[in-house]
Amino acid sequence: MTSSATLDLSLELLRQPSVTPVDHTCQTIMAERLENAGFTIEHMRFEDVDNLWARRGTESPVFCFAGHTDVVPTGSLDAWGSDPFAPEIRDGKLYGRGSADMKTALAAMVVASERFTAKHPNHKGSIAFLITSDEEGPSINGTVKVVETLEARNEKMAWCLVGEPSSTHTLGDIVKNGRRGSLNAKLTVKGKQGHVAYPHLAVNPIHTASKAIAELCETVWDHGNEYFPATSFQISNINSGTGATNVVPGTMTSLFNFRYSTEVTADELKARTLEILDRHNVDYDIEWTLSGLPFLTPVGELVNAAKHAIRNVTGVETELSTSGGTSDGRFIAPTGAQVLELGVLNATIHQVDEHVNVADLEPLAEIYEQILEGLLA
């Protein structure tokens, strides 16, 4: 297997066991390379989370590479074909935890920036890196805190490319130009515990909530739009009872999630949910958690630069998508930046034997470099 700059840096990053929120020197490795390329380095640590803000240039517009060095836990090591933190290449594939999500993209970003700045030492605007070790975890002390710091000093990004693994079948076939919002709820339905033989002395919360839950499941919340599918309501947990067959439970707890489009707001979803529960005379408490607002980057400078670069490097005509879970783009988009997600294939993310095609690594660095060419050369 022929070595390459992107592969070599990928291997170095993959050897770091950086399970959330531990960075394990990944950001130091990146920072040393970026500093040598003329970037000013700023380490931002909030609580137990390491973050990196690196910037080359002082002028606007700012193009920012964003991503995360943390990875999800490996699970049972026995299930892996090789040590998840001792990356191996087998049959043209690079195996290791974080190979797809998203250390190879980080390596490609660094290499692309090194090559671009060598060719264009006096490039327009600025290039920046916003890297966190808290994307796979609670996402409390990571990107959101760095963005707050940047906003406080009025340091604005015009464009942000997040290196999340966006591709489906071939490199660059899909880029994410937005994400759905995510609204979570914990619903506690109150009843009265009792003996099943004396139902008149008890109130079964499962029974009282059942019609409301059925209506929530059947409700059409919106029809989506050109960029987003219709809003989805999904119950992820229902818990009730003591485990005994002869006891009417006193409470029922349900967890559910809305993945929602830009056709509705979180407040509208909350109001409609409460209206359904109240109409069915459910006695309840509810706790809401907003994981992320929906965001959308319409076709413009960043999308066009990415599509052009992908076409030049791979010959692929890329498609725009807003599918999938949340990403740290949700914290960056509200600042006014155009945000796009572009990375390697996502087929094995968070799985045992996570891997990427080695042949995709240099082309990804070339795509990133050509995006810089299109916007800052």
Side-chain angles (χ1 to χ4, degrees), residues 261-282:
S261 77
T262 49
E263 293 294 303
V264 291
T265 66
D267 286 342
E268 288 171 341
L269 293 172
K270 291 178 185 179
R272 290 176 66 183
T273 300
L274 300 185
E275 188 277 326
I276 291 170
L277 293 169
D278 292 340
R279 181 157 36 80
H280 288 281
N281 298 312
V282 179

Side-chain angles (χ1 to χ4, degrees), residues 198-335:
Y198 301 92
H200 59 289
L201 299 177
V203 177
N204 192 318
I206 300 173
H207 295 187
T208 59
S210 60
K211 289 183 180 178
I213 289 173
E215 184 171 341
L216 289 168
C217 293
E218 295 166 2
T219 294
V220 177
W221 305 93
D222 61 42
H223 296 283
N225 55 34
E226 178 186 359
Y227 293 102
F228 289 92
T231 291
S232 167
F233 170 87
Q234 290 294 322
I235 296 172
S236 53
N237 282 271
I238 291 182
N239 294 290
S240 190
T242 65
T245 58
N246 61 351
V247 179
V248 174
T251 60
M252 184 199 78
T253 302
S254 173
L255 304 180
F256 59 83
N257 172 269
F258 289 99
R259 289 298 164 103
Y260 67 99
S261 77
T262 49
E263 293 294 303
V264 291
T265 66
D267 286 342
E268 288 171 341
L269 293 172
K270 291 178 185 179
R272 290 176 66 183
T273 300
L274 300 185
E275 188 277 326
I276 291 170
L277 293 169
D278 292 340
R279 181 157 36 80
H280 288 281
N281 298 312
V282 179
D283 185 8
Y284 66 91
D285 290 322
I286 193 165
E287 301 171 24
W288 298 97
T289 306
L290 182 63
S291 300
L293 295 167
F295 69 90
L296 178 70
T297 296
V299 175
E301 299 158 325
L302 182 58
V303 169
N304 287 333
K307 293 178 78 168
H308 181 73
I310 292 165
R311 187 184 308 116
N312 275 357
V313 175
T314 68
V316 169
E317 291 296 331
T318 195
E319 294 181 23
L320 302 177
S321 172
T322 60
S323 65
T326 59
S327 79
D328 275 3
R330 70 190 189 273
F331 302 126
I332 299 166
T335 69

